[in-house]
Structure formats: structure tokens, C-alpha cells
Amino acid sequence: MGRPPCCDKANVKRGPWTAEEDAKILAYVASHGIGNWTLVPQKAGLNRCGKSCRLRWTNYLRPDLKHDNFTSLEEECILELHKTIGSRWSLIAKRLPGRTDNDVKNYWNTKLKKKLVNMGIDPVTHKPFAQVFAEYGKISGLPIQNAKNHIHLPNNTTGKNHVCMESKQFPFSNGTPHDKFVHKIMNDQLQENYTKNYTWDSKETLQTHSSLLISTSTSCNPTVHSYSPSFSSVQSQVHTMPSSTSTCNWNEFIFGDPFTSSGAEQKQETFLSNLLQKENPTCGEVTEVEEKQPVEEATCSSAMDSFVDTILANEKQMLMDFPPLLDVYLDY
DNA sequence: AAGCAGATCAACCGCCCACCC
DNA sequence: GGGGTGGGCGGTTGATCTGCT
């Protein structure tokens, strides 16, 4: 059999901690140190779950914690790391002395996410919403036309293609929180921008309203993309969508989370180490990852195209094989 | 001053994985 | 080897605070 339960959850106190309880934990840790939290409530005379004690100590009572506001430097660090590794709060917090994963998570959810949204950047992908939208369309096998949503997206290689959304509703949401979030933002922005006669100047270039966009790398480069040192300077980069290929950048999607492949932990440490060694991202030393870049760049373009083509072909085939799905799929 | 809405953040929930028995 | 837990983690909740009308 396994270990006995850490506590009787029905009979332990929950909710806010009192000063007296805090004092008991502090006294216990001072005399016994940290370890075996299941024994802490019993030995410290607390009617709390051991897990709850550990959380209280980790997130609030630890003497090395900072309780003041996040600095701009910490803010930039969080942004950079979140862009690189996503919502791995504990990893991010380890790079910020005196901050806990809970602190970082709360700061992200209450402040930074909103800042990015206000700047027109998707806080999940860290890409401009317009770019996210373009990639969404590509992934979803647009063009899609039906009676309720009439969307014309570029489907040939020449000439201009005008986007027309009669319902002005961004149609692709599978119900996840992120999708709902993107869905809402897309609807808001579509409402605003498609009335301005969005155009694609061939499939190569997306000409769009400059205020929505910041310059971001769309190359097939799985290395770290650097954040500018401040929000103001990020905004100063606002120009137009880079005139690179408008095909979905699958490397960024796939390598956007660089730790999903094998050897994740080692790769992650190397990655973070490289990242944090770069004091000046734009002129830093060449990293091992960057040295590999030319090889990957040489191969990724065709791989990306074939990957996209495969997905589009599979989707088309599925709809051909199961016509009843067609109605469900397109009936937003 | 009261009521309300939005923001904040401590605490909890539920899952995963390493480890214990 | 397998059942079960502890510790760690990300996501979510809800009490409290703050600002606005």
C-alpha cells in the first residue's frame, strides 16, 4: 500500500490564514527547517492540511520573498520568458529572485495580459492579432463560404483579394478559453478593420492597418525572438506586416513551445540559459541554437508548405468523405 | 454615503509524476 | 509490479480592495 493520507480534509481549517497560524509555521520552520509538510500541521499545532501549509510558506511566509511591486525589468523578463516557454510559471519565477510562481501568474493575468491585448498582441502566441487571424484562416482551410458567413480569403497566387465578411464574425472557436478569447478579440477587430476594406496584395503580402501590427519575425526561425526593452519601444516598431510568405509559419507554431519534443528538460535548460545570457538580444553572441539555424531554414519552407497542404488536403478529404459534417462545420 | 463593477491576489482545486510501501 | 500518496504545478475561485457614479 502507499503512504497514509496527509490530512483529513473534512476536518481541517480552510480559508485565510491568521497571524497566529503564520507565527506557528514560522516558528516551526525556524526550529525544524523545511521538509515533510504532512507532519508540519501536527508538529506546529495547526489544524491545516500540509499542502496548505507548504503553499502558505512558499507563497507568503518565505523570508526571501519580495512583496513590493514588480519592476519594469521583472516585467520584461516575464514577457520574454512567457513568449519563450509559455505559462510555466514556476520556471519563470525561478528566474525572478523573491517572486513565486503564484506572484508571476497573478501579475500576468491581471496586468501583462491586458497590456499586450491593448497593444494588439495575442498574449498566448505573442503575435499581432492580425497575424494570428491570418494563420487561423490558413489553418482552417479558408476560403469558406456559406449563407451566414461569407469570407473570401486569397485562394490564388495573383491579383488582389478582398476580404469580405458579411457577418463580421470570426468563426473559428472550439470553445477553449483561449479560443473564446481570440474569438472575441477577432470579432472586435474584424468589426473595426474589415470595414476598412482589408486587402491582400497577392498571397505574399498582407497589407493591413499599421496600428494593429508590430514587426515580428515570420522567418522559419525556431530560436528565441527578442522582446524590445519596453512597451513604448515595442509600439515604436509598429509598421506593417512583414512581406514574407503569408503561409502559416508552422515552425513558430510547432517550435513556439520549444520543449515539446524529446529531451525536453535538457533542451529547456539550454534554451533558458541561452536566453538569459543574452543581455542584448539583438547583438548577442551566436548560440548553439542559432548556429543550427541555416540548416533548418533551408529545409523548413518546403516542410511547412507540405505540412499545411497535408492538413488542408486531409480536411478536404474528410469533408468529402463525410458530407453531413459539412453542414455542421460551416454552420456557425 | 451607498451601490456597483472591475481589479487584485491569497488560497484552493485538480492533475501529473516520482516515489513509497 | 501495482496501488496509492506527496510534492509540484498551472488553472480557477472568491474575498477584499479600489475607484467610479
Side-chain angles (χ1 to χ4, degrees):
Chain A
M1 290 296 286
R3 298 171 178 168
C6 69
C7 63
D8 179 4
K9 292 193 175 182
N11 294 318
V12 295
K13 186 185 171 191
R14 296 167 61 186
W17 284 67
T18 64
E20 186 185 356
E21 288 174 317
D22 285 346
K24 284 180 179 177
I25 286 204
L26 286 168
Y28 176 85
V29 171
S31 58
H32 296 85
I34 303 167
N36 202 348
W37 285 104
T38 54
L39 294 176
V40 170
Q42 182 189 342
K43 292 190 174 181
L46 286 162
N47 186 28
R48 292 270 187 179
C49 175
K51 205 169 178 175
S52 182
C53 293
R54 179 176 61 81
L55 222 56
R56 182 64 179 172
W57 169 260
T58 304
N59 289 337
Y60 196 79
L61 296 176
R62 262 169 46 198
D64 59 323
L65 291 181
K66 287 189 221 169
H67 295 288
D68 49 352
N69 292 335
F70 278 77
T71 66
S72 58
L73 202 63
E74 288 174 316
E75 190 173 291
E76 286 155 19
C77 188
I78 293 169
L79 283 166
E80 184 71 41
L81 288 166
H82 187 274
K83 185 179 184 181
T84 306
I85 63 176
S87 56
R88 290 157 169 82
W89 306 119
S90 60
L91 282 173
I92 295 173
K94 280 174 188 171
R95 308 288 172 173
L96 298 169
R99 304 296 187 187
T100 69
D101 56 349
N102 215 29
D103 289 337
V104 175
K105 184 170 55 184
N106 282 333
Y107 189 66
W108 173 265
N109 285 330
T110 58
K111 302 272 181 63
L112 294 182
K113 202 156 77 174
K114 288 171 190 169
K115 271 191 180 180
L116 289 178
V117 170
N118 288 337
M119 290 163 58
I121 297 171
D122 175 19
V124 177
T125 62
H126 289 251
K127 296 174 183 177
F129 284 121
Q131 187 184 347
V132 174
F133 166 67
E135 290 173 350
Y136 244 112
K138 190 72 181 181
I139 295 166
S140 303
L142 292 172
I144 295 170
Q145 297 179 28
N146 69 4
K148 294 178 183 176
N149 283 284
H150 190 186
I151 308 169
H152 301 292
L153 290 180
N155 58 357
N156 57 45
T157 58
T158 59
K160 290 195 174 185
N161 295 277
H162 293 262
V163 176
C164 169
M165 292 194 66
E166 291 178 348
S167 71
K168 298 184 179 67
Q169 288 289 307
F170 189 71
F172 313 105
S173 171
N174 63 12
T176 65
H178 175 234
D179 268 19
K180 285 176 181 171
F181 179 76
V182 172
H183 189 262
K184 180 182 183 311
I185 296 298
M186 287 304 168
N187 281 336
D188 292 347
Q189 294 209 342
L190 285 169
Q191 193 77 32
E192 177 183 349
N193 292 292
Y194 279 101
T195 57
K196 296 174 182 172
N197 200 13
Y198 242 89
T199 64
W200 265 273
D201 186 5
S202 86
K203 76 168 186 178
E204 301 301 323
T205 307
L206 174 63
Q207 300 288 348
T208 185
H209 200 55
S210 63
S211 66
L212 282 175
L213 303 175
I214 66 167
S215 174
T216 57
S217 168
T218 55
S219 68
C220 305
N221 183 358
T223 57
V224 180
H225 299 292
S226 61
Y227 246 95
S228 297
S230 69
F231 281 108
S232 57
S233 58
V234 168
Q235 285 173 312
S236 73
Q237 294 180 359
V238 168
H239 295 301
T240 59
M241 178 72 86
S243 59
S244 58
T245 61
S246 63
T247 50
C248 170
N249 189 335
W250 286 102
N251 266 37
E252 287 191 4
F253 265 88
I254 295 167
F255 292 104
D257 181 346
F259 313 125
T260 52
S261 54
S262 60
E265 287 300 323
Q266 186 182 355
K267 198 172 173 183
Q268 179 171 342
E269 283 306 312
T270 306
F271 199 79
L272 279 172
S273 175
N274 287 340
L275 169 68
L276 293 164
Q277 281 170 3
K278 285 185 175 181
E279 286 187 13
N280 185 344
T282 58
C283 57
E285 58 185 87
V286 177
T287 66
E288 186 182 343
V289 176
E290 287 171 331
E291 285 172 352
K292 293 178 182 172
Q293 179 182 333
V295 177
E296 294 176 16
E297 273 192 342
T299 58
C300 69
S301 180
S302 60
M304 275 169 34
D305 286 346
S306 65
F307 186 31
V308 172
D309 290 344
T310 301
I311 289 178
L312 295 179
N314 286 346
E315 185 172 290
K316 191 175 179 180
Q317 184 62 44
M318 183 187 72
L319 293 174
M320 296 287 281
D321 291 345
F322 303 98
L325 286 177
L326 203 60
D327 291 334
V328 176
Y329 182 76
L330 296 177
D331 188 18
Y332 304 113

